[in-house]
Amino acid sequence: MADHLKHIGFIADGNRRWAKEHGLSSLDGHKQGSKVVEMIIEELMSSGIEYLSFYVFSTENWNRPPEEVTCLMNLVASEIKRLTKKAQKNNLRIAIIGRPEKVDPKLWQEMMESEKLTADNTGMTLCFCFNYGGQWEIADAAKKATAAGEADWTPENFRKYLYHPEVPDIDLVVRTSGEQRLSGFQLWRAAYAELLFLNKHFPALEKSDVRAIIDEYNSRERRFGK
């Protein structure tokens, strides 16, 4: 029996492939993906899980076609406002994990405002990895540690320089769409995470899939090197 599931992370893959299979635009795929994000939040916010992370946009995603990136940024801008209202209503906290570089300053400011507005909420924390790269997080943490004159270079001490250092290690990483890699997702926090790869595209996930994911985690035995 696995330990209590405290932090689950989703690599939300397959939005574009799902859209193509349904004769829809990439933007339609991303919109459906955002609906699934909301469904997962609703399913899990009363489950006892304390942290829920979603890989929204990676530092490598800037290499996608400019028109798709623009549409994605517009979608993120509208969704963060809607999710902030939902978080306020349901006592959820929002944390943006990523870098401001390249992001429109107005959009980044809106995201920081979402953090401030929900900072005192005591329910589940929703971590959105936006303009995020796992190697960048570690490199930025090393830069902060060096600037602070850090002398105690232990893993326990180093983690306080990560983005949102209060966010704990991930217990379970779920990747959809049949891909079996982390793609830089929270590399530090995923060091001992259980991995679950699903063949479904992210927009196709249903409530029953969420329940199956939790059941799968609970069936595993975590050893942590023991």
Side-chain angles (χ1 to χ4, degrees):
M1 181 67 70
D3 296 335
H4 169 64
L5 179 51
K6 184 176 182 178
H7 185 183
I8 181 170
F10 283 87
I11 302 176
D13 199 11
N15 290 348
R16 294 185 296 176
R17 278 168 281 180
W18 177 88
K20 187 176 181 179
E21 289 176 5
H22 288 78
L24 301 170
S25 68
S26 294
L27 180 58
D28 288 328
H30 293 306
K31 285 181 178 179
Q32 178 61 24
S34 69
K35 291 179 181 178
V36 171
V37 166
E38 193 163 351
M39 179 272 289
I40 292 171
I41 292 170
E42 289 174 356
E43 283 296 296
L44 296 179
M45 64 185 178
S46 299
S47 66
I49 294 171
E50 298 174 40
Y51 294 85
L52 190 55
S53 290
F54 294 96
Y55 207 171
V56 177
F57 190 87
S58 76
T59 49
E60 289 72 41
N61 286 154
W62 294 106
N63 296 321
R64 291 184 176 182
E67 60 274 14
E68 182 183 351
V69 171
T70 298
C71 288
L72 265 172
M73 293 300 118
N74 291 336
L75 179 61
V76 168
S78 62
E79 285 299 300
I80 195 66
K81 292 175 183 176
R82 201 164 60 82
L83 284 170
T84 300
K85 291 179 181 178
K86 187 179 187 69
Q88 292 283 66
K89 181 180 178 181
N90 293 284
N91 191 35
L92 307 175
R93 187 169 76 99
I94 290 176
I96 306 300
I97 298 181
R99 319 181 82 230
E101 286 78 4
K102 292 189 178 182
V103 180
D104 183 291
K106 182 180 178 182
L107 175 56
W108 189 260
Q109 184 57 43
E110 288 175 353
M111 290 181 153
M112 295 302 98
E113 187 64 22
S114 294
E115 284 194 347
K116 291 177 184 177
L117 289 171
T118 62
D120 295 328
N121 292 347
T122 57
M124 185 167 64
T125 296
L126 308 176
C127 304
F128 294 105
C129 296
F130 178 78
N131 194 28
Y132 175 86
Q135 291 177 327
W136 268 116
E137 179 175 25
I138 294 169
D140 284 342
K143 192 183 298 183
K144 290 177 191 173
T146 301
E150 184 59 62
D152 183 17
W153 288 81
T154 61
E156 293 77 17
N157 202 43
F158 184 78
R159 71 176 302 129
K160 72 184 181 184
Y161 298 101
L162 298 174
Y163 309 146
H164 277 284
E166 80 283 0
V167 176
D169 288 346
I170 296 179
D171 298 305
L172 175 65
V173 173
V174 180
R175 181 165 190 153
T176 53
S177 208
E179 305 294 344
Q180 298 188 20
R181 56 182 179 273
L182 288 177
S183 296
F185 179 62
Q186 298 213 40
L187 296 179
W188 186 276
R189 296 182 184 88
Y192 270 96
E194 292 292 310
L195 306 178
L196 178 59
F197 302 110
L198 304 178
N199 287 324
K200 271 190 174 183
H201 296 316
F202 187 74
L205 290 188
E206 301 172 343
K207 292 180 180 180
S208 59
D209 295 308
V210 178
R211 291 191 289 271
I213 286 167
I214 302 304
D215 289 343
E216 170 61 26
Y217 175 81
N218 288 332
S219 73
R220 296 190 182 187
E221 181 181 357
R222 303 183 73 192
R223 297 187 178 88
F224 298 99
K226 296 177 182 177

